[in-house]
Amino acid sequence: MLTFALPTGRSLDSCVDILERAGLPTAKLKDAGRNLVIEETSFRYLLSKPSDVPAMVYYGAADLALAGSDVIEEAGIALTELLDTGRGRCVMAVAGPEEMAEKFGGHVSGLMGLKVATKYTRLAEKTFAEWGVQIKLLKLNGSVELAPALGLADCIFDVVQTGGTLKANGLRVIKETMPVSLRLVAGISSVQLRWGSLFGVVEAIDSAVRAA
Ligand code: PRP
Ligand code: MG
């Protein structure tokens, strides 16, 4: 029995599609309802909050996981990345009110000293430090697009997929930073102790995402 952690929310459909194409059992997973542990033939799936998926493999609760590279970077814990599925593509970006985006578009130096709302504080600190731009951070756990409108922050650092949420909240990208996609990861101990069992699954997922 292999345990596979998957993120709940908007990435779950892409994850289930990848697993199905790889020939893994997904019938019960598709019909999970409010269940967070789903047992199929020789697989157990754990449905976890996206930001907690890296910890599930790190602490050995799961052998494998599909997780966004955004949450993997933010978690900052040592995992073995087995492959980039190329699915769930989006991008990390700094965004702000339209006038600010017009003024600073592409140039982050103008953000010096401003307050940035994000749920990715670790990644934001690293990104702005690489640019040599000092900022103040406001940690929120989601819906960060609210912050500029409420005067809680000047701009945001978040993941952008379609751009729909930014647009709906009067915000625009100032600068795109890191591309994001779903990665297949494993805990270091699972790779060391269970590679014989993991190998076939990794190969099947690799072939499935290459073929798609
Ligand atoms: C994510 C992200 C953006 C939005 C991007 O939020 O934080 O707000 O999706 O997608 P879009 O460009 O297609 O609009 P999510 O809905 O996952 O919720 P959260 O921010 O409250 O965690
Ligand atoms: Mg959001």
Side-chain angles (χ1 to χ4, degrees):
M1 177 79 89
L2 281 181
T3 304
F4 211 131
L6 299 173
T8 53
R10 61 170 67 200
S11 301
L12 185 59
D13 286 349
S14 301
C15 294
V16 174
D17 184 62
I18 292 168
L19 301 179
E20 191 171 19
R21 286 171 191 271
L24 273 66
T26 56
K28 291 184 192 158
L29 187 55
K30 284 186 191 163
D31 196 21
R34 296 294 296 164
N35 292 335
L36 301 175
V37 182
I38 291 108
E39 295 203 352
E40 306 249 16
T41 339
S42 63
F43 284 90
R44 179 194 294 121
Y45 298 112
L46 306 180
L47 298 181
S48 176
K49 195 91 180 153
S51 52
D52 292 333
V53 171
M56 293 291 152
V57 282
Y58 181 74
Y59 292 113
D63 299 297
L64 288 169
L66 282 166
S69 44
D70 54 342
V71 300
I72 296 172
E73 286 278 330
E74 181 63 21
I77 47 184
L79 301 174
T80 303
E81 186 176 312
L82 300 166
L83 61 100
D84 180 352
T85 68
R87 304 297 196 83
R89 282 193 192 280
C90 40
V91 67
M92 296 304 302
V94 182
E98 291 180 5
E99 325 77 70
M100 182 189 269
E102 216 157 275
K103 192 166 155 203
F104 297 133
H107 302 284
V108 288
S109 54
L111 303 178
M112 187 72 98
L114 295 189
K115 190 177 268 186
V116 182
T118 188
K119 57 185 174 192
Y120 300 94
T121 48
R122 187 187 157 90
L123 198 45
E125 258 171 20
K126 183 170 163 247
T127 306
F128 280 91
E130 279 167 8
W131 292 333
V133 175
Q134 273 191 347
I135 48 148
K136 296 177 206 113
L137 281 174
L138 171 67
K139 160 86 184 188
L140 293 177
N141 291 306
S143 301
V144 297
E145 295 85 356
L146 273 175
L150 299 176
L152 293 172
D154 301 291
C155 55
I156 66 167
F157 177 71
D158 201 11
V159 65
V160 180
Q161 192 163 33
T162 61
T165 312
L166 288 183
K167 196 164 176 222
N169 292 285
L171 302 171
R172 263 201 353 229
V173 168
I174 296 172
K175 191 177 178 67
E176 290 187 350
T177 66
M178 181 188 92
V180 172
S181 57
L182 283 166
R183 310 291 166 90
L184 178 65
V185 293
I188 292 166
S189 62
S190 287
V191 170
Q192 287 172 344
L193 303 173
R194 308 198 67 187
W195 184 244
S197 317
L198 301 186
F199 178 70
V201 179
V202 178
E203 268 207 330
I205 294 176
D206 189 26
S207 311
V209 296
R210 279 170 197 269

